[in-house]
Amino acid sequence: MASSRVQPKTAGTYVRRVIVIAYLFFLVVWPVSLVVKHTFDGGFGNITTALSDPVVTDALRLTVYVAIWAVVINTVFGIGVSLLLVRYEFPGRSVLSALIDLPLAVSPVVVGLALLLAYGGTNGLFGPFLNSIGFQVAFATPGIILATAFVSLPLVIRELVPTLQEIGTDQEQAARSLGAGPWATFRRITLPSIKWALVYGVVLSLARSLGEFGAVKVISGNIAQQTQTATLVVEQKYQDFEQETAYATSFLLTLIAIAALVVITILRPKDKSDGN
Amino acid sequence: MTFETPTEPGTARRTRRARSANSLTRSSGLGLGIALTWFSLLVLIPLALIVIQSIDGGWETFRLTLTNPQTVSALRLTVEQSLIVTLINVVMGTLIAWVLVRDDFPGKQLLEVVIDIPFALPTIVAGLVLLSLYGPTSPLGINVANTERSVFLALLFVTLPFIARTVQPVLLELDRDVEEAAASLGASRFVTLRRIILPALAPAIAAGAALSFARGISEYGSLVLLSGNLPNKTEVASVRILTYIENGNEAAAASVAVLLLLVALLAITILQIITSRVARRG
């Protein structure tokens, strides 16, 4: 298959190849490698300094906690909504399918503002009520989880919907006709066949969740050691002229992002990526 | 990361759907109810509150905010730079997809990872990354920090994957036989490109462009460290909204936010129309 797609090499092939590689080198590869270089300018000193700063470690801990919550919520919601969208017929389905993509297109600052208007402690629609039952959302961890879940909401669904359409329902119907209940059918038949798409969506959501900045900045109040996430620490440290710590924290976040991408590239079915 | 325009459930695979679509059972109906409640609480109600807040502030607040010179200048800069960047992405994204699909060389897999980096990297880190090559300590001697070019550069970085990733799967599916037939009938390579390839790619390019533009006008994180957020110079719409929020002027913040929200809705509508049209044709 690959041989039928790869064109006979002409001068143009090499020109295009060089343009693309140069473009990506100057826009992505070189800049990213400089952050790695800055981080290790004095050996591992910057990393150890950063990791011994309680502001950084608290932020990293909060970031991981929030990301796990957001990913779990989006995975459960994502599986449910994907099954509903693909397997069932109901009024407004295509509207829901379109609206699911909305978080991808909305500005993070707008997301933060929206959540503030709904869950703000004094002026929000639900905030005062939730506060009165002792549940603070804005400027606290639940708000950060909401913001993170918001921005990464469509990622699992975008992976699952095409896969669910692809596999059809023949096996599920066979299982059902042989007496398997809905849960057994899901666990034994549906889940194994969407497994990789699900892992792919979860890894993407995790990467996105660990890195959210704008929405979290608005809703969290950005209080050091309380509601400050890793990305907010990068901003603060950079502006406080603790650039080494900013670079070291950025390096850790970059490492996670690239690790996620490598996992995804390995998982991606070969026929999608290069046709072999 | 793939940005395959998702096949719209209602239109794709009609034959299989006709067999597989069920009307709601009691338990799936309950599931739908829970899902819709969560989606409303998380996304729909908060976004609707922005619209309500902007109307609530009255027409006067809306008008005053949107005629404020600093806001006007921020909106103009945001739209201008997003348009330029999207145009560049139309060309470069298509070219990148082309090289990934039609060319083959050692290290091509590496490029697949590199293209997705801007999507996976936290935006604040993206700004820091760009600052280290195009900032005051640039090894190239190019310093765009605190200029309009920094906005351009940051948007170019964060929107890199969109068109490349929407065009790539379509190009993979494209039947080479048609191109070979055109060539054997005497069509030049340029004519084949213009009459066969580009029309087939156009929907994917348009969908990617819509995503790219929407992402461009909504960008915030990568600009924080890079652009300096100088009023009337490098301040973008998102920063303007944040300033209004920080000053406690939520009505004004909502007025600008509503504009961004409209563009976001427009972008996903375009995406949806293109997707269902492609699905119908297929």
Side-chain angles (χ1 to χ4, degrees):
Chain A
M1 270 172 86
S3 60
S4 72
R5 287 208 186 88
V6 174
Q7 294 200 318
K9 303 256 186 293
T10 61
T13 311
Y14 294 101
V15 171
R16 283 188 290 267
R17 192 189 295 176
V18 168
I19 292 175
V20 164
I21 292 177
Y23 184 74
L24 294 176
F25 178 76
F26 280 103
L27 190 58
V28 182
V29 178
W30 196 359
V32 170
S33 64
L34 279 177
V35 164
V36 181
K37 183 175 160 286
H38 283 307
T39 307
F40 293 104
D41 261 348
F44 282 88
N46 290 338
I47 297 268
T48 47
T49 313
L51 289 181
S52 59
D53 184 339
V55 174
V56 176
T57 50
D58 283 353
L60 286 172
R61 201 173 298 126
L62 177 66
T63 304
V64 172
Y65 178 80
V66 164
I68 290 173
W69 266 106
V71 168
V72 168
I73 292 170
N74 281 339
T75 305
V76 174
F77 175 78
I79 294 174
V81 167
S82 305
L83 283 171
L84 287 166
L85 284 178
V86 178
R87 296 276 189 263
Y88 294 93
E89 199 74 62
F90 54 88
R93 196 192 51 192
S94 56
V95 176
L96 179 63
S97 156
L99 284 176
I100 289 286
D101 279 343
L102 197 54
L104 282 185
V106 178
S107 168
V109 177
V110 174
V111 173
L113 174 65
L115 291 174
L116 212 53
L117 291 174
Y119 298 101
T122 47
N123 298 322
L125 183 63
F126 308 122
F129 167 72
L130 290 170
N131 265 352
S132 69
I133 57 168
F135 190 62
Q136 193 189 351
V137 177
F139 310 123
T141 311
I144 308 176
I145 294 174
L146 281 185
T148 309
F150 189 124
V151 296
S152 56
L153 178 106
L155 298 174
V156 169
I157 297 167
R158 286 178 74 90
E159 296 304 324
L160 288 187
V161 165
T163 312
L164 280 170
Q165 280 173 341
E166 199 64 42
I167 61 171
T169 53
D170 296 350
Q171 293 194 1
E172 289 169 24
Q173 279 171 354
R176 293 301 291 273
S177 70
L178 292 171
W183 172 243
T185 311
F186 173 74
R187 200 168 53 86
R188 296 275 188 81
I189 306 289
T190 315
L191 196 58
S193 37
I194 61 170
K195 187 174 58 185
W196 290 117
L198 184 61
V199 172
Y200 191 89
V202 165
V203 173
L204 274 181
S205 305
L206 187 67
R208 184 76 180 80
S209 299
L210 291 169
E212 180 47 29
F213 173 72
V216 168
K217 183 172 175 176
V218 176
I219 197 76
S220 74
N222 198 2
I223 309 158
Q225 295 189 270
Q226 282 182 45
T227 64
Q228 197 172 47
T229 61
T231 50
L232 295 172
V233 162
V234 172
E235 183 196 19
Q236 196 211 319
K237 293 290 179 188
Y238 191 87
Q239 285 169 348
D240 291 351
F241 301 103
E242 290 180 53
Q243 302 196 347
E244 294 76 14
T245 310
Y247 276 117
T249 314
S250 294
F251 169 75
L252 291 175
L253 290 169
T254 308
L255 210 59
I256 297 168
I258 292 179
L261 289 181
V262 170
V263 169
I264 286 169
T265 310
I266 293 167
L267 290 181
R268 182 180 291 154
K270 280 289 173 283
D271 61 329
K272 249 188 188 173
S273 60
D274 61 15
N276 283 324
Chain B
M1 183 66 212
T2 44
F3 285 101
E4 280 169 72
T5 15
T7 26
E8 204 268 304
T11 45
R13 296 174 186 276
R14 214 167 259 295
T15 46
R16 188 173 272 171
R17 276 215 55 81
R19 273 191 290 126
S20 67
N22 299 314
S23 44
L24 293 169
T25 58
R26 189 183 294 169
S27 58
S28 59
L30 181 68
L32 182 66
I34 296 172
L36 284 182
T37 308
W38 172 246
F39 190 59
S40 305
L41 285 175
L42 183 66
V43 177
L44 297 182
I45 294 173
L47 290 181
L49 285 173
I50 289 188
V51 180
I52 293 169
Q53 175 75 259
S54 73
I55 297 168
D56 231 23
W59 176 247
E60 200 52 24
T61 315
F62 198 69
R63 197 185 62 82
L64 276 178
T65 311
L66 297 184
T67 51
N68 174 307
Q70 200 180 334
T71 310
V72 171
S73 138
L75 284 169
R76 191 191 297 130
L77 175 72
T78 314
V79 172
E80 262 175 20
Q81 298 300 323
S82 302
L83 276 178
I84 298 172
V85 162
T86 302
L87 284 178
I88 293 179
N89 281 334
V90 166
V91 178
M92 285 313 294
T94 311
L95 191 64
I96 290 169
W98 183 271
V99 167
L100 285 178
V101 174
R102 295 291 172 93
D103 200 352
D104 201 12
F105 51 91
K108 205 181 81 172
Q109 278 289 314
L110 199 67
L111 287 196
E112 296 266 358
V113 175
V114 168
I115 288 163
D116 285 337
I117 286 180
F119 184 81
L121 208 62
T123 49
I124 185 81
V125 178
L128 192 65
V129 156
L130 290 171
L131 201 57
S132 54
L133 185 59
Y134 301 104
T137 58
S138 166
L140 286 172
I142 302 170
N143 182 5
V144 300
N146 307 335
T147 68
E148 260 181 44
R149 279 161 196 271
S150 67
V151 178
F152 168 75
L153 187 67
L155 297 189
L156 202 59
F157 183 90
V158 296
T159 58
L160 170 71
F162 290 97
I163 291 179
R165 286 301 187 208
T166 37
V167 171
Q168 191 181 13
V170 180
L171 201 52
L172 265 172
E173 295 290 316
L174 202 63
D175 202 346
R176 290 295 306 269
D177 294 348
V178 184
E179 288 168 49
E180 274 153 27
S184 73
L185 291 172
S188 70
R189 298 196 46 162
F190 176 73
V191 170
T192 314
L193 181 74
R194 195 168 57 87
R195 302 283 284 274
I196 310 281
I197 302 173
L198 284 184
L201 297 185
I205 295 176
L211 279 174
S212 167
F213 183 73
R215 177 65 203 263
I217 61 154
S218 60
E219 185 52 23
Y220 170 66
S222 61
L223 296 164
V224 173
L225 300 178
L226 195 58
S227 78
N229 303 330
L230 306 173
N232 297 320
K233 194 173 172 219
T234 63
E235 195 179 48
V236 294
S238 294
V239 175
R240 200 74 196 111
I241 298 173
L242 192 70
T243 314
Y244 280 129
I245 297 173
E246 281 169 350
N247 295 338
N249 192 349
E250 284 179 348
S255 302
V256 185
V258 154
L259 287 186
L260 294 193
L261 208 54
L262 278 177
V263 180
L265 275 171
L266 198 65
I268 64 158
T269 310
I270 291 173
L271 205 62
Q272 196 72 13
I273 291 171
I274 293 169
T275 313
S276 57
R277 190 167 291 171
V278 169
R280 214 175 304 143
R281 202 167 43 187

